[in-house]
Amino acid sequence: DDYHDDIWDYRRLDHGCDETVQSEQRGDPTVARANKQYMLFTGLMIRLLGVILMIDARSALGTTFQLVFCQVLQGIGGGFASIAVQVSAQAAVPHADVATVTAMVLLVTEVGNSVGSALASGVWATYMPMELKKHVPTNNQTLLDDLFGSIMDITLYPVDDPIRVGAVTAYQAVM
């Protein structure tokens, strides 16, 4: 499959919509039944299943259906978990502090997201050039730099080209 930016935007939109819908659907029952720990555990397990399935879906042999299905699972699990965490935090404080605790929960979530992105970027920048050098059959450093700089450059090569195969293998090794 040939992925373009608009397709990836749909994937991001799908994941966000799934989280929002599940948050809305799970919010009222969670408050009504006061079973937030079960909702959190269920959400995290569904999200973990989506992450585990993503390992295969992100490979060169993964299908679009697998990729979307994993995103849907992660969105559903995230919706379960986010509502459980927010409702638990809000229930633990007086009414006057609900806005503050909600802001703190969202702040911690965003800080965690930022730290995870920074760590992933560090791993990518450290290991990807080495993996490209190991798997792409060339001594041309400019080509390796171009492949590292843009995943779209890989699509310029035929599917069975050794450069493309090596670059895909390198991307899979780092991911």
Side-chain angles (χ1 to χ4, degrees):
D1 290 327
D2 190 18
Y3 293 103
H4 299 284
D5 289 341
D6 58 337
I7 292 173
W8 288 109
D9 288 340
Y10 290 129
R11 182 196 61 81
R12 283 189 216 101
L13 178 64
D14 173 58
H15 183 263
C17 287
D18 289 333
E19 267 195 359
T20 303
V21 168
Q22 288 304 314
S23 294
E24 290 292 326
Q25 290 180 348
R26 300 296 170 224
D28 290 336
T30 301
V31 173
R33 286 190 232 120
N35 59 353
K36 294 167 278 301
Q37 68 274 16
Y38 300 115
M39 190 69 67
L40 176 62
F41 182 77
T42 301
L44 293 176
M45 290 299 104
I46 293 171
R47 187 152 187 156
L48 179 62
L49 177 62
V51 170
I52 290 169
L53 293 175
M54 183 68 74
I55 293 169
D56 185 50
R58 291 272 179 137
S59 72
L61 302 175
T63 65
T64 301
F65 174 77
Q66 287 176 307
L67 194 60
V68 170
F69 184 68
C70 293
Q71 290 297 320
V72 168
L73 282 178
Q74 289 183 44
I76 291 170
F80 275 57
S82 67
I83 282 299
V85 168
Q86 286 183 19
V87 169
S88 297
Q90 292 167 350
V93 297
H95 179 71
D97 296 329
V98 168
T100 304
V101 79
T102 302
M104 291 301 293
V105 167
L106 296 174
L107 174 66
V108 168
T109 302
E110 290 303 315
V111 168
N113 185 22
S114 298
V115 170
S117 294
L119 290 172
S121 297
V123 167
W124 185 262
T126 301
Y127 293 104
M128 190 58 194
M130 291 185 298
E131 291 296 322
L132 283 170
K133 189 171 264 189
K134 182 171 33 172
H135 295 289
V136 176
T138 185
N139 291 326
N140 183 346
Q141 189 59 44
T142 304
L143 173 62
L144 294 174
D145 291 343
D146 288 345
L147 293 174
F148 174 68
S150 173
I151 192 169
M152 296 309 293
D153 286 353
I154 295 170
T155 62
L156 300 175
Y157 296 91
V159 176
D160 58 347
D161 188 285
I163 291 175
R164 183 171 179 161
V165 171
V168 168
T169 303
Y171 274 92
Q172 285 180 290
V174 174
M175 288 177 71

